[in-house]
Amino acid sequence: MNKKNRGSRTQFMKWAGVFGLAMILAGPLQAGGASETSTVEPFADPGGVSGRGAEGHWWVGPSDIGNCHFDNIQDAIDATASLGADWGTISIRLSGPNSLYLGESYTLSLDNFENVTTVRIIGGYEDCTGQSSGTTVLDSDNGTRLFNISNSLDYDGAPREIRLENLVIQGAFHGFEFGGGGILVHGTPGRLSVKLENVTVQDNQALATSGGGGGVMVRARNTRNGGGPMLTADNATIIANNSTNGNGGGVACRSLVGDLGTGTLIRWGAGPIASNQAENGGAISIEGGCSRNFFYNGAFLAGIINNEAVDAGGGIYLEGDGSYISVRGDEFEGFGNPAWRVDLITNEATRGGAVYARDASEVFLFDVNVGGNTAETGGGAIYANAGPAVVTVGRIGNTPCDDSTFGRCSYVRNNAVTSGAGGAFLARNDATINVSNTFVEGNSATVRGSVAAVSGAGPGTVNLESVLATGNHTAPDLLYALHGQIDVRFSTMADNQDLTRAAYAQGFSEAQPGSIGLFSSIFWEDSGIVADEANENSTISGDCVIGWQDPDDLPVSISVYRNYHPMFVSPGSGDYRPGPVSPAIDFCDDSFTQPAFPDLDGNTRGTAHQGSPTRPNPGLGNFDLGAYETDWEELADELFQDRFEGGTCFGFCGGQSGAGCYCDNGCVDFGDCCDSVCQDCPELVHCTSLQGPELEASLGGLFDMGRDLEHSAVRPRRPVTEAILPGS
């Protein structure tokens, strides 16, 4: 895999230029030095009194500018540590040219701040007066890490807060001691709290020998002692174009004491983590039980974008029992945006283009667009491996998807595996991937399972519920089970490409079987077979399934299998809801499988149909098959009777017209199409596949054209007991 040029902003500028974000990068740097001036104590802020809990500030700027206390940040930090009075908050305000801060690095230890509760380092001042109006660039000039923020192993003092504001932190090359090219946060959760506010961390490097974390490293050195996050980053903070040959190109988190249990460790806002590179975890690495990390990157062009891992997890990498991350298109206490999804897109790795998780770690992706990621050997979007790792993909709440350009919804689409299996999902070796209320679209794999695959010495598990899978391609199957279990419940898989079969179980051995379960779902393709077992080590079972294959030709046993036409509303425009009279409505009960989630629109499952009579089906209960539970009203035949005399389909595509004839994909089978069906409903399958004379023939005597008499030459008019496929 080609490595990016990590010595400049080239890669991130390409990304930023495409999306119009070049303004987030700082301007050119200048050269210069710094030395201490003199002062006794900081200025008290307006309304405050020196000492005794007041807020005060130091000024840092050129020595020839009046009103400045220091021309060096570390001197201001040291002066803060030596204050004798009990101050509340001390601000260190930075002014002057960026050259003043070139080549410096800074150390802040909680052990030294006995008389200060909060230390703020604020950039963007023009001189040693006034208000901040921009940012200050702190450039290490290929020197060591810029900020080392810590507490000692035996620190038992009060909680302290360090805030970095209005800064660009760049240019560090760190090769030793704990990692963190730009920033190291190293201490006790509940005692040490670091906040990044309008901070850009870019163009920093950390070697693997130092521990990784090209941009930021968080190391929890003790068990939690108090509440609150150890690191927060607001919606304006950006991590871009950092690198490490270890783990975590953008942000890394490592626990030295195992599972940290409850309590948030990292809380991240809506700023992008983009164009970073690492061996594992191009953007983010969570290791060693670093738990309760929340990333709320829901905003315009914000998310985890265009990162690269040489090995695993182009976007996100987890290892170690108790490691935990939740990525959410949501808002919490001002972090994130509730109106926007998260984009986890265009990341690249050998394994797990977007996400790789192993050991007893947990990943939660809610209202996330996992798109355009690439893996070489497996898991174009998500790869769960090696231990009881669990990755969960779904929605927040039961509201319908907001299908606007960046609206909240759950998508896994256009991810690719270039020489392996699991175009969207790959689970191996006792790992599990759970996917619900998600659109799975356009994914591909060159070998097996364009949607999902399970394999490994230990079984993998993939569970899909309320999933709509369309347009997936290249692999000969959608679902592939070599060793493990894939369960599909209340889902729709239709209009996928290049299929020999939709579901294929090929158990590796008697001790390593492969199994697939298909329940209350719709499989509707135009080629291949619905499901197949390769050998005696393979099992496919199911209940209540509509499929395109004739039951007599189905090589596996699925109870209550029918090849009724599902009569989708408008598949050509992406509407795969069963139409108003579809036989998929009220098809099954929940005695065999119970839904754990609402349908893809957030509707409750098992709602009795109140509309017009549907095509006949087994009628086992009130549960609709597929990704959607419908709530159609009765077709208003009388109201529109005059308008639809003569058999027009205008306004009735997918159902029965006011004249009694039908305007759906099943009308060809039953011979009861309205005269204008293809004129008014050109997206119907039998209309899009026929033109000219063929179209006329389809409407004017289809059932007199010598169809297979085994299925009967003339089909009975409705009601009927079963339907057949066109052309069968």
Side-chain angles (χ1 to χ4, degrees):
M1 183 173 296
N2 294 328
K3 294 196 174 184
K4 298 172 181 163
N5 176 7
R6 315 313 297 178
S8 70
R9 301 176 210 166
T10 302
Q11 294 297 326
F12 184 61
M13 281 297 294
K14 289 180 180 178
W15 175 84
V18 170
F19 296 108
L21 294 180
M23 70 289 292
I24 65 175
L25 299 180
L29 300 178
Q30 304 176 38
S35 61
E36 183 177 355
T37 55
S38 62
T39 190
V40 177
E41 65 177 14
F43 294 148
D45 289 344
V49 179
S50 298
R52 290 179 292 283
E55 295 188 7
H57 59 270
W58 306 108
W59 286 106
V60 178
S63 56
D64 58 353
I65 296 179
N67 213 42
C68 297
H69 297 90
F70 305 99
D71 60 5
N72 180 286
I73 297 173
Q74 188 63 54
D75 290 342
I77 293 170
D78 295 342
T80 301
S82 64
L83 288 172
D86 184 16
W87 288 79
T89 298
I90 294 294
S91 299
I92 299 173
R93 302 179 178 181
L94 311 184
S95 67
N98 294 328
S99 60
L100 183 64
Y101 308 103
L102 185 66
E104 294 186 352
S105 61
Y106 315 105
T107 299
L108 297 92
S109 174
L110 265 61
D111 300 69
N112 298 329
F113 297 123
E114 295 182 3
N115 297 315
V116 177
T117 302
T118 300
V119 178
R120 302 172 64 190
I121 299 177
I122 309 171
Y125 293 89
E126 292 187 5
D127 52 36
C128 292
T129 61
Q131 301 295 317
S132 176
S133 58
T135 58
T136 296
V137 176
L138 306 180
D139 193 312
S140 180
D141 194 25
N142 289 319
T144 188
R145 108 172 40 96
L146 281 122
F147 282 98
N148 183 345
I149 306 171
S150 66
N151 63 258
S152 65
L153 185 63
D154 58 356
Y155 177 77
D156 60 357
R160 304 290 188 219
E161 179 178 291
I162 309 297
R163 292 166 60 179
L164 306 181
E165 306 172 43
N166 303 338
L167 301 173
V168 176
I169 296 171
Q170 67 181 36
F173 184 89
H174 191 73
F176 61 93
E177 190 182 49
F178 304 152
I183 302 170
L184 171 66
V185 180
H186 180 54
T188 304
R191 301 288 96 181
L192 172 59
S193 174
V194 175
K195 297 184 177 182
L196 307 181
E197 300 178 6
N198 190 30
V199 173
T200 295
V201 181
Q202 65 184 26
D203 295 329
N204 302 287
Q205 300 182 55
L207 297 183
T209 52
S210 75
V216 180
M217 168 65 83
V218 177
R219 288 170 56 95
R221 66 185 311 174
N222 291 315
T223 56
R224 179 170 290 279
N225 182 14
M230 194 169 174
L231 174 68
T232 63
D234 72 354
N235 293 345
T237 291
I238 297 164
I239 307 294
N241 204 37
N242 304 283
S243 67
T244 177
N245 60 350
N247 296 345
V251 180
C253 183
R254 183 169 300 148
S255 171
L256 307 184
V257 292
D259 190 345
L260 293 170
T262 60
T264 299
L265 196 69
I266 297 176
R267 181 181 298 142
W268 204 272
I273 304 177
S275 297
N276 303 283
Q277 185 187 42
E279 180 70 18
N280 298 298
I284 301 166
S285 174
I286 307 293
E287 302 176 52
C290 194
S291 59
R292 308 293 290 178
N293 302 289
F294 293 88
F295 286 69
Y296 295 94
N297 305 57
F300 179 68
L301 294 177
I304 300 165
I305 302 173
N306 199 39
N307 302 281
E308 181 181 349
V310 175
D311 184 12
I316 299 171
Y317 174 85
L318 273 79
E319 72 170 47
D321 294 357
S323 295
Y324 174 111
I325 189 171
S326 177
V327 182
R328 307 165 65 89
D330 200 3
E331 183 272 342
F332 182 81
E333 294 185 355
F335 292 82
N337 185 334
W340 298 75
R341 66 170 187 253
V342 180
D343 280 328
L344 179 49
I345 60 175
T346 61
N347 302 287
E348 181 181 353
T350 301
R351 300 179 293 165
V355 175
Y356 180 95
R358 57 167 297 155
D359 307 321
S361 61
E362 292 183 278
V363 179
F364 296 91
L365 306 175
F366 295 128
D367 285 324
V368 175
N369 173 34
V370 186
N373 303 284
T374 304
E376 181 179 343
T377 62
I382 297 170
Y383 191 136
N385 187 31
V390 178
V391 180
T392 300
V393 182
R395 295 290 320 282
I396 300 171
N398 297 335
T399 58
C401 276
D402 177 357
D403 59 1
S404 60
T405 303
F406 298 100
R408 279 180 51 183
C409 199
S410 180
Y411 297 102
V412 179
R413 55 189 179 186
N414 301 325
N415 303 283
V417 175
T418 58
S419 60
F425 313 112
L426 175 62
R428 304 183 74 245
N429 299 317
D430 303 307
T432 299
I433 299 174
N434 298 313
V435 184
S436 64
N437 302 95
T438 297
F439 294 87
V440 181
E441 305 168 341
N443 303 285
S444 64
T446 55
V447 178
R448 293 290 186 186
S450 58
V451 170
V454 293
S455 64
T461 301
V462 175
N463 297 309
L464 306 175
E465 183 175 329
S466 293
V467 165
L468 174 61
T470 62
N472 302 286
H473 59 94
T474 305
D477 29 61
L478 298 174
L479 311 171
Y480 176 70
L482 181 62
H483 182 206
Q485 177 76 31
I486 299 175
D487 275 349
V488 180
R489 302 173 187 270
F490 296 100
S491 294
T492 298
M493 299 193 176
D495 293 336
N496 298 284
Q497 303 166 23
D498 307 317
L499 294 181
T500 303
R501 59 192 71 80
Y504 189 43
Q506 188 181 27
F508 185 76
S509 66
E510 183 178 358
Q512 297 175 310
S515 302
I516 298 177
L518 310 175
F519 307 97
S520 299
S521 294
I522 300 172
F523 293 83
W524 201 253
E525 309 294 348
D526 60 4
S527 65
I529 59 179
V530 172
D532 198 8
E533 300 166 345
N535 51 44
E536 65 276 9
N537 306 314
S538 312
T539 303
I540 291 182
S541 60
D543 179 70
C544 290
V545 171
I546 282 180
W548 77 92
Q549 189 177 5
D550 190 286
D552 294 339
D553 299 329
L554 192 67
V556 299
S557 177
I558 297 175
S559 62
V560 200
Y561 173 90
R562 299 290 188 272
N563 66 323
Y564 300 157
H565 198 293
M567 301 168 61
F568 299 128
V569 172
S570 183
S573 58
D575 190 344
Y576 287 88
R577 293 175 299 158
V581 296
S582 168
I585 296 173
D586 286 4
F587 187 106
C588 202
D589 58 17
D590 63 346
S591 60
F592 203 91
T593 183
Q594 294 78 42
F597 301 93
D599 84 335
L600 197 52
D601 279 340
N603 298 316
T604 301
R605 293 282 184 182
T607 302
H609 179 61
Q610 302 297 321
S612 298
T614 66
R615 295 285 178 88
N617 65 30
L620 299 178
N622 294 330
F623 289 83
D624 297 356
L625 303 191
Y628 296 96
E629 183 79 16
T630 62
D631 57 353
W632 296 111
E633 297 179 357
E634 187 170 359
L635 296 175
D637 291 349
E638 294 182 2
L639 177 62
F640 297 107
Q641 184 171 356
D642 293 339
R643 183 176 180 184
F644 295 108
E645 287 179 354
T648 181
C649 283
F650 183 80
F652 286 115
C653 294
Q656 185 178 17
S657 79
C661 54
Y662 280 81
C663 310
D664 55 32
N665 282 317
C667 72
V668 174
D669 298 315
F670 291 102
D672 52 11
C673 296
C674 297
D675 292 340
S676 67
V677 59
C678 288
Q679 177 182 345
D680 295 333
C681 309
E683 74 278 4
L684 295 176
V685 172
H686 60 84
C687 296
T688 57
S689 61
L690 299 174
Q691 296 180 358
E694 291 180 322
L695 179 58
E696 292 183 17
S698 73
L699 301 176
L702 178 72
F703 296 96
D704 297 323
M705 294 171 63
R707 299 194 61 182
D708 190 346
L709 295 178
E710 183 180 355
H711 294 288
S712 81
V714 180
R715 295 295 294 175
R717 304 289 291 181
R718 301 174 202 189
V720 296
T721 56
E722 75 171 344
I724 61 172
L725 288 170
S728 59

